[in-house]
Amino acid sequence: MEYFQCIFTAEQVSPEAIAEVVNATPCRVTQNMNEALLASYTNEEIKKALFQMHPSKSPGPDGMSPFFNQKYWDIVNEDVCLAVRNLLEKGEMWPDSNYTISPKVVANRLKCWLPEIVSPLQSAYVPGRLISDNTLVATEATHFMHKLKYQEAGFFSLKLDISKAYDRLDWSFIHAMLTNEGLSALISQAVHQHNIQGLTMCPQAPTLHHLFFADDSILFGSATTTECMQYRRILNTYERASGQKVNFQKSSVVFSNNVSEEQQQELAAILEVQCVKEHDKYLGLPMRVGRSKSAIFAYIKERLTKKLVSWKAKILSAAGKEILIKAVAQTMPLYAMNCYLLPKGLCDEIHQLCTSFFWGDIDDKKKIHWRSWEKLCLTKAEGGMGFKNIYAYNLAMLGKQGWRLISNPHSLIAKLYKAKYYPMPIVPFGKQT
């Protein structure tokens, strides 16, 4: 077939490919940004970075932890500031100087500008952007594709597996790309040139064409030969430019339900990936949650059970068990609870496992449970142990997500939810329209 002529094998970095990526990348660092980034470092910046560090953080080459410099700042401030400025501005470093403050100073300065430089479709590295945003957007797109049956236009989601993402980057590409992102720029250029249509759930919704979180990537597009060829060409160009390599054997593509089986196989052959009914997980969470939530989230209970079995073999005091439950057992479901409402039955089962471990049940031999779990979830001032009520905590976390949507209306997930679920303006209670 003629469309395979655009496919190459990425074996070494190509200067032509680097030039193509750089040309597709808009310059987002303005003159004002550049002047602010290159300005001399002030004593206030250095002090702020130092006092943001945990006092008991591991000591640096000079053997001094941040606590020492924080406590005796009035005495050492001039020497510390001089050392940091010499390192950052002149490249000079004292043999025994503690240079761990310097990266913190640079990071604080970069944080101010990252939201304007990094694409909104990249959720890592930027303060205020959460991993849960990508999870929720991907879940919403997967749900839309699963329900799509009668619309003429079909869509696909391509989940990429990058082989040793950070081990294969070429230094010449990194140097060339210090002005911005590469793969995202190539895709954005193709969208601007109308070579990629992406996925649109409804007329008012933002178009999805890629979601990035560090090296975890998922691409969205129309289920057409032209669009798949474009994505394959972009990936080949990026491979030849960066030195990174997509593992197409581990990557997978899912098509919406209105795409025929024959067309799915043809398009998957163009992309050179396996066609699957559903992606397993994205960023550690299931991409589609059906009616059987208990089966989907059963892995949480399984992991917790394995932990508790290993702990039961050890001789632990009540205080030791309390710490393990609070610090490990009850934190294991938190990541999933940040995006999904767990079944109440699953939460009860987690409570039962923690209760059994705390009171020392062994196999089928139950010991006396002197207080109910509800009582143990009370604060210590109220006579409890301060354990979490998992279901109530789950509701609180989802409530926090709701508040974040309201307080950050310009985020990608907020725009998507608004377009799909409440496109009309919200009229305050009691006001006439």
Side-chain angles (χ1 to χ4, degrees), residues 180-323:
N180 205 7
E181 304 147 298
L183 182 56
S184 178
L186 286 174
I187 296 173
S188 298
Q189 183 189 57
V191 171
H192 181 72
Q193 295 173 348
H194 304 290
N195 294 328
I196 287 178
Q197 302 302 317
L199 184 154
T200 305
M201 299 185 201
C202 59
Q204 299 86 4
T207 300
L208 301 178
H209 31 79
H210 65 285
L211 288 174
F212 292 162
F213 187 88
D215 63 318
D216 288 297
S217 310
I218 185 165
L219 311 179
F220 298 97
S222 299
T224 63
T225 300
T226 303
E227 189 128 337
C228 290
M229 289 175 60
Q230 283 292 330
Y231 268 119
R232 192 62 177 87
R233 184 192 67 80
I234 287 171
L235 292 175
N236 282 323
T237 300
Y238 183 71
E239 283 185 338
R240 291 185 294 116
S242 67
Q244 287 187 320
K245 186 173 179 61
V246 177
N247 189 335
F248 290 100
Q249 286 71 38
K250 292 185 178 181
S251 301
S252 59
V253 63
V254 172
F255 292 92
S256 54
N257 281 338
N258 62 337
V259 181
S260 65
E261 289 288 339
E262 182 181 356
Q263 189 180 8
Q264 289 184 26
Q265 295 303 322
E266 181 180 349
L267 297 178
I270 296 174
L271 295 168
E272 291 192 21
V273 298
Q274 58 177 331
C275 180
V276 297
K277 291 296 181 184
E278 292 183 357
H279 294 304
D280 182 20
K281 288 183 179 180
Y282 175 61
L283 299 176
L285 290 178
M287 290 188 64
R288 193 180 78 83
V289 178
R291 294 181 179 179
S292 180
K293 287 186 178 181
S294 297
I296 293 292
F297 295 109
Y299 71 92
I300 296 175
K301 180 183 175 183
E302 292 172 5
R303 290 178 183 174
L304 178 58
T305 302
K306 290 179 181 178
K307 286 282 186 185
L308 294 177
V309 168
S310 64
W311 294 343
K312 285 182 178 180
K314 301 176 182 179
I315 300 175
L316 298 169
S317 64
K321 293 177 182 178
E322 176 194 352
I323 293 172

Side-chain angles (χ1 to χ4, degrees), residues 169-183:
L169 275 174
D170 184 77
W171 279 110
S172 59
F173 174 76
I174 294 174
H175 185 269
M177 287 310 301
L178 282 175
T179 53
N180 205 7
E181 304 147 298
L183 182 56

Side-chain angles (χ1 to χ4, degrees), residues 50 53-70 97-101:
L50 171 64
M53 300 169 70
H54 194 279
S56 59
K57 187 178 175 66
S58 299
D62 61 356
M64 299 297 181
S65 65
F67 173 77
F68 175 84
N69 290 324
Q70 291 170 359
S97 64
N98 187 338
Y99 52 82
T100 54
I101 304 172

Side-chain angles (χ1 to χ4, degrees), residues 8-20:
F8 305 93
T9 301
E11 295 181 351
Q12 58 184 5
V13 172
S14 164
E16 294 78 12
I18 293 179
E20 182 177 346

Side-chain angles (χ1 to χ4, degrees), residues 38-143:
L38 294 176
S40 298
Y41 292 92
T42 65
N43 290 3
E44 289 72 21
E45 282 184 286
I46 298 170
K47 179 181 179 181
K48 178 182 177 182
L50 171 64
F51 281 83
Q52 285 176 339
M53 300 169 70
H54 194 279
S56 59
K57 187 178 175 66
S58 299
D62 61 356
M64 299 297 181
S65 65
F67 173 77
F68 175 84
N69 290 324
Q70 291 170 359
K71 184 172 180 62
Y72 299 104
W73 179 249
D74 292 340
I75 300 173
V76 303
N77 68 87
E78 291 185 6
D79 290 335
V80 171
C81 290
L82 178 62
V84 171
R85 271 197 295 271
N86 284 343
L87 174 60
L88 295 179
E89 297 176 3
K90 301 178 183 178
E92 299 176 2
M93 183 172 66
W94 298 350
D96 297 325
S97 64
N98 187 338
Y99 52 82
T100 54
I101 304 172
S102 303
K104 187 73 174 177
V105 175
V106 176
N108 284 346
R109 184 169 285 193
L110 288 173
K111 281 180 183 178
C112 302
W113 304 109
L114 285 181
E116 299 181 40
I117 297 173
V118 180
S119 166
L121 296 169
Q122 167 65 270
S123 292
Y125 314 122
V126 181
R129 300 185 191 177
L130 302 180
I131 189 173
S132 59
D133 287 1
N134 272 25
T135 302
L136 293 171
V137 172
T139 300
E140 199 63 39
T142 302
H143 177 74

